[in-house]
Each structure stands twice: as structure tokens, then as C-alpha cells.
Amino acid sequence: MRIGKLEIGFAPLSMVALFIVLSIFAILAAVRQARPEWPMPLSSLIIINESMALLATLVYGIILHLIMAFLGWYRSSRM
């Protein structure tokens, strides 16, 4: 995919899409978890959930890039 002069591949584009989806669900989960009787404010719940979304995106990116590097190595070694 091309945005202006910038060429974006599958891995970065899928990581951005994953982070956006996980961020939306993290905010919705924090709003659903918030209770007036709990001492933790909503902003803290959102920060905790967004941190987990960022960590999940990071792990996904690492695994995806390792798989793509392995496939590239495998294709070059077969030829």
C-alpha cells in the first residue's frame, strides 16, 4: 500500500489495524468495568487496558516479523 511517497507493507499495516481495533475494545472494556463503588478511576482503567493492547500489538509484531523473516530465508535457501 502506498501513502504519498511512503510504501507500507503488510506487517506494519496489519499492526496499525490491530492496535486501532484493540484500542477501541480496550476503551469499551474500561467503560464497562468502571463502577461507582470502586476506588479506581476510569482513566486508570483505560491506561491499564491500553497498555495491554500495546503489549499485545508488540508481541504480534515480533512474531509476525519473525515469521516473515523465516519465510524470506526459506525462499532464498530453496533457490
Side-chain angles (χ1 to χ4, degrees), residues 30 39-51:
M40 185 175 290
L42 179 61
S43 61
S44 296
L45 287 174
I46 290 174
I47 290 173
I48 291 169
N49 288 350
E50 285 291 331
S51 299

Side-chain angles (χ1 to χ4, degrees), residues 43-65:
S43 61
S44 296
L45 287 174
I46 290 174
I47 290 173
I48 291 169
N49 288 350
E50 285 291 331
S51 299
M52 289 189 289
L54 185 61
L55 180 64
T57 305
L58 179 68
V59 169
Y60 169 78
I62 290 170
I63 292 172
L64 182 67
H65 281 86

Side-chain angles (χ1 to χ4, degrees), residues 7-30:
E7 180 79 25
I8 297 180
F10 168 74
L13 192 62
S14 68
M15 286 179 60
V16 168
L18 178 73
F19 183 67
I20 290 171
V21 169
L22 287 179
S23 292
I24 292 169
F25 284 123
I27 292 172
L28 291 175

